[in-house]
Amino acid sequence: MTNTITATAVRRAAHLGLTAAAALLLAAAAPATAAGSQAGGDHLYLLVTTGDARSSDTRGTLLLCDPPQGHGRAAEACAQLDSADGDIDALPLADVYCPMLYAPVTVQSRGQWSGRPVDYRRTFSNGCVMRARTGAVFALDG
């Protein structure tokens, strides 16, 4: 009996592995979230996944806002979140023109802001649209 592995099977296994890794990262953030909530600080665990089901790249970090730290634009992200009272959907839309290019970007955020839980997930058509809607919050690449 011979087993063959197709390219499609390899891609599916890789996607499942990345999905599992993202889930593990979120689960690992739970203890940090619990510890941060006891301290009373605003914090969000951020994940950015570029690509679609066939190929993707996931990055993540913990954004702490007292003092701002976590990624290259932490102070700016914390200030933007503070002005929107932690509501990512309430961030002002940037005045930019984005190309009509489909290169999906999915963002996730879980944590606490002003004592309230935050659980946010959105998929944008491309990185430009994501940056226009979320400002510096998900700018994990610097």
Side-chain angles (χ1 to χ4, degrees), residues 17-52:
L18 287 174
T19 303
L24 287 173
L25 285 172
L26 282 174
T33 300
S37 65
Q38 292 171 354
D42 296 331
H43 62 278
L44 298 175
Y45 186 74
L46 307 170
L47 279 178
V48 177
T49 303
T50 55
D52 57 16

Side-chain angles (χ1 to χ4, degrees), residues 25-132:
L25 285 172
L26 282 174
T33 300
S37 65
Q38 292 171 354
D42 296 331
H43 62 278
L44 298 175
Y45 186 74
L46 307 170
L47 279 178
V48 177
T49 303
T50 55
D52 57 16
R54 285 172 264 144
S55 67
S56 62
D57 173 37
T58 301
R59 290 168 283 138
T61 192
L62 179 64
L63 174 66
L64 301 170
C65 288
D66 190 22
Q69 54 188 330
H71 62 74
R73 296 173 63 186
E76 185 180 358
C78 290
Q80 290 173 354
L81 285 164
D82 195 41
S83 69
D85 197 28
D87 183 0
I88 298 170
D89 280 327
L91 292 171
L93 180 63
D95 188 20
V96 297
Y97 290 100
C98 291
M100 292 180 61
L101 172 71
Y102 184 69
V105 179
T106 300
V107 297
Q108 298 178 53
S109 174
R110 184 170 284 167
Q112 173 183 295
W113 198 270
S114 298
R116 294 184 319 271
V118 173
D119 193 5
Y120 177 87
R121 179 184 167 94
R122 298 285 183 278
T123 299
F124 299 98
S125 59
N126 59 53
C128 179
V129 175
M130 179 213 48
R131 287 184 298 276

